[in-house]
Amino acid sequence: MAVFSTKNYSRAFGTFPLKGDPLAAALNMAIDIGYRAIDTAQMYQNEADTGACLTASGVPREEFCITSKVPPANFDKAKFLLSVEHSIEALQIDYLDVLLLHWPPANGDIKPSLKLLEKAAKIGLTKHIGISNYTAQMMRDATSIVDAPLVTNQVEFHPLLNQDVLLAASKETGIPLSAYCTVARGEVFKHALFTDIGSRHNKSAAQVVLRWTLQNGLSVNTMSTRKENIKANYDIVDFTLTETEMTEINKLTHIGYRIVDKHKVPWAPEWD
């Protein structure tokens, strides 16, 4: 899975919607536990707070994989690269490890923002580039627009939503997926199956869900402000779900519970 292939980087600590002291407390605990992949975005308005924590942590810069994202509001040619430079400055670093387009543009024309994203890599603002919230067709189109590899398409992914179309597009295009809303904002806990499977492995329901996501080939982004949950979300590489257990969980995807739709995000594309 490209840049996210290592055990450390396959589990990222997501910073949304934290800011200020709550962010500092949670991020410091995450770093102490072992997280080295850190996910932020211009839209989160917490890059400066995140940068201050990373700098104060004493962990060498090269150990971190820092991701940020450019929103459509900054897709204009006059704004894009400047916004990335501001992100880097706020994060107190010299470059980003991964830079994503946070959303496809509302008009559906993905080429201009993708070319600006690629330019950011060419001039050294980021080591890797990627996308988020792209449809399967957009993934296919993107591979013909940019020459640089796209290291991820970050999307809503959890056991209550069928994303087989995106998984197939990932295999076809070579663009790995990474997951947000991994426990469907708590909705998964209404289903006893995860607790039942967890009891077989001495793991929690949440750990089962995250492990299912990893075994589907995705990296995961999780966030918590509680130390026990931050640690539990990290401790998901020491057990494996059986094929039968994976199949049991897969049956729940027909529920079609989508969190991020046009009611929540009016500029969201027409999902697959």
Side-chain angles (χ1 to χ4, degrees):
M1 290 188 293
V3 70
F4 301 110
S5 61
T6 72
K7 289 183 178 181
N8 272 356
Y9 294 166
S10 65
R11 295 156 292 168
F13 186 79
T15 60
F16 180 79
L18 303 176
K19 299 177 184 178
D21 291 341
L23 171 62
L27 186 50
N28 285 332
M29 286 188 286
I31 293 170
D32 287 344
I33 286 166
Y35 285 87
R36 293 297 181 265
I38 310 298
D39 183 271
T40 183
Q42 293 175 11
M43 287 179 66
Y44 301 167
Q45 298 182 347
N46 66 7
E47 289 175 314
D49 291 338
T50 299
C53 287
L54 298 180
T55 299
S57 72
V59 175
R61 165 68 183 94
E62 59 271 17
E63 289 189 19
F64 285 116
C65 179
I66 303 171
T67 297
S68 194
K69 314 177 194 76
V70 181
N74 287 331
F75 283 179
D76 182 85
K77 188 175 182 180
K79 296 179 180 178
F80 191 98
L81 295 176
L82 185 61
S83 78
V84 179
E85 290 172 354
H86 287 164
S87 292
I88 290 170
E89 181 180 1
L91 286 161
Q92 301 182 35
I93 53 181
D94 296 324
Y95 61 90
L96 286 160
D97 294 284
V98 186
L99 179 66
L100 307 182
L101 301 178
H102 207 153
W103 288 90
N107 65 7
D109 183 6
I110 63 174
K111 184 174 181 178
S113 52
L114 281 168
K115 297 306 288 186
L116 287 167
L117 180 70
E118 189 171 40
K119 185 175 181 180
K122 286 180 178 178
I123 65 175
L125 297 179
T126 183
K127 286 188 173 182
H128 305 281
I129 58 174
I131 51 183
S132 53
N133 299 302
Y134 267 42
T135 65
Q137 186 58 53
M138 288 175 178
M139 291 172 70
R140 288 189 285 268
D141 292 342
T143 59
S144 65
I145 292 172
V146 297
D147 295 324
L150 296 165
V151 299
T152 193
N153 180 18
Q154 191 180 98
V155 296
E156 178 179 345
F157 196 97
H158 51 74
L160 308 184
L161 179 65
N162 190 310
Q163 292 286 38
D164 285 348
V165 172
L166 284 181
L167 286 169
S170 175
K171 184 176 181 180
E172 175 188 345
T173 62
I175 303 173
L177 301 181
S178 53
Y180 68 80
C181 292
T182 46
V183 295
R185 297 191 176 169
E187 189 71 14
V188 296
F189 302 129
K190 296 179 181 179
H191 300 269
L193 175 63
F194 301 109
T195 300
D196 293 342
I197 293 176
S199 67
R200 305 170 198 166
H201 298 275
N202 196 29
K203 293 291 183 178
S204 69
Q207 288 173 308
V208 169
V209 172
L210 296 177
R211 182 67 206 181
W212 172 85
T213 306
L214 285 183
Q215 288 183 216
N216 269 294
L218 284 78
S219 55
V220 298
N221 289 279
T222 59
M223 189 283 294
S224 179
T225 57
R226 299 176 60 186
K227 184 174 183 178
E228 59 268 34
N229 290 344
I230 296 171
K231 188 175 189 308
N233 291 341
Y234 192 75
D235 292 338
I236 56 172
V237 296
D238 58 350
F239 74 109
T240 302
L241 299 176
T242 67
E243 184 176 341
T244 299
E245 290 167 340
M246 291 291 290
T247 300
E248 287 181 285
I249 296 171
N250 289 343
K251 291 177 181 178
L252 293 178
T253 63
H254 79 278
I255 292 171
Y257 182 81
R258 186 180 288 279
I259 295 168
V260 183
D261 57 17
K262 284 187 175 294
H263 292 96
K264 185 175 290 292
V265 182
W267 58 85
E270 294 295 332
W271 299 120
D272 299 298

